[in-house]
């Protein structure tokens, strides 16, 4: 007769924390949209590092469908000591509703990220007009006019330029 014995050992405590994903999290996640086109985001994602970072080696930053990180699309992996990443402009947000930041280490990402709801700033001029008052065939001259957006708070300046198409 053979006796089969199986033991499972589960260990808890501070001595085992280094063998797991981070449990600390960042705070103050923010993204002020600097891309003023509808359905596009641009600017700098910023956050405050956790006060204790002994089990953290970096951060994964990206967009998600909700605050819990569903359908996470990574924008970048950053080293510990970094608390901002510029995402440029013209980034189409699609169905994403949140920017999220995970703490990470060699064992993976924290279970739930810190999130900030996306706020798409839109400021588009309307009623653009130009009447060419230069009589030369290959030259243009005159005033360009437009109506400003209803909310001008995110606007810092206007640019007018010539283009061959819209």
């Amino acid at each position: 007769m053979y006796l089969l014995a199986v033991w499972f050992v589960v260990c808890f405590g501070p001595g085992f924390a280094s063998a797991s994903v981070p449990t600390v999290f960042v705070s103050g996640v923010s993204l002020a949209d600097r891309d003023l086109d509808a359905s596009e985001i641009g600017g700098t994602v910023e956050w405050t590092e956790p006060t204790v970072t002994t089990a953290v080696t970096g951060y994964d930053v990206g967009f998600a469908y909700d605050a819990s990180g569903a359908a996470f699309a990574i924008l970048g992996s950053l080293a510990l000591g970094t608390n901002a990443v510029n995402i440029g402009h013209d980034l189409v947000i699609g169905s994403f509703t949140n920017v999220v930041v995970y703490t990470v280490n060699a064992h993976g990402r924290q279970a739930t990220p810190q999130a900030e709801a996306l706020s798409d700033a839109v400021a588009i001029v309307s009623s653009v007009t130009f009447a060419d008052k230069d009589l030369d065939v290959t030259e243009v001259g005159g005033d360009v006019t437009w109506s400003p957006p209803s909310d001008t708070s995110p606007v810092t300046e206007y640019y007018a330029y010539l283009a061959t198409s819209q």
Side-chain angles (χ1 to χ4, degrees), residues 91-112:
L91 189 61
V92 177
I93 58 176
S95 298
F96 294 115
T97 60
N98 288 263
V99 59
V100 298
V101 179
Y102 287 93
T103 54
V104 298
N105 64 18
H107 301 286
R109 291 187 192 119
Q110 74 183 99
T112 304

Side-chain angles (χ1 to χ4, degrees), residues 45-156:
V45 181
E46 299 177 307
W47 61 92
T48 302
E49 290 190 330
T51 53
V52 177
T53 58
T54 53
V56 178
T57 58
Y59 307 100
D60 282 350
V61 180
F63 292 131
Y65 287 165
D66 60 27
S68 67
F72 177 64
I74 193 165
L75 293 169
S77 294
L78 301 138
L80 183 65
T82 305
N83 68 335
V85 61
N86 187 309
I87 59 171
H89 57 84
D90 296 334
L91 189 61
V92 177
I93 58 176
S95 298
F96 294 115
T97 60
N98 288 263
V99 59
V100 298
V101 179
Y102 287 93
T103 54
V104 298
N105 64 18
H107 301 286
R109 291 187 192 119
Q110 74 183 99
T112 304
Q114 288 300 105
E116 171 73 15
L118 292 174
S119 178
D120 186 13
V122 178
I124 300 173
V125 301
S126 60
S127 304
V128 178
T129 61
F130 171 72
D132 185 8
K133 295 183 179 182
D134 188 302
L135 301 178
D136 295 324
V137 176
T138 60
E139 298 176 5
V140 294
D143 295 327
V144 176
T145 62
W146 63 87
S147 296
S150 57
D151 178 11
T152 59
S153 62
V155 178
T156 58

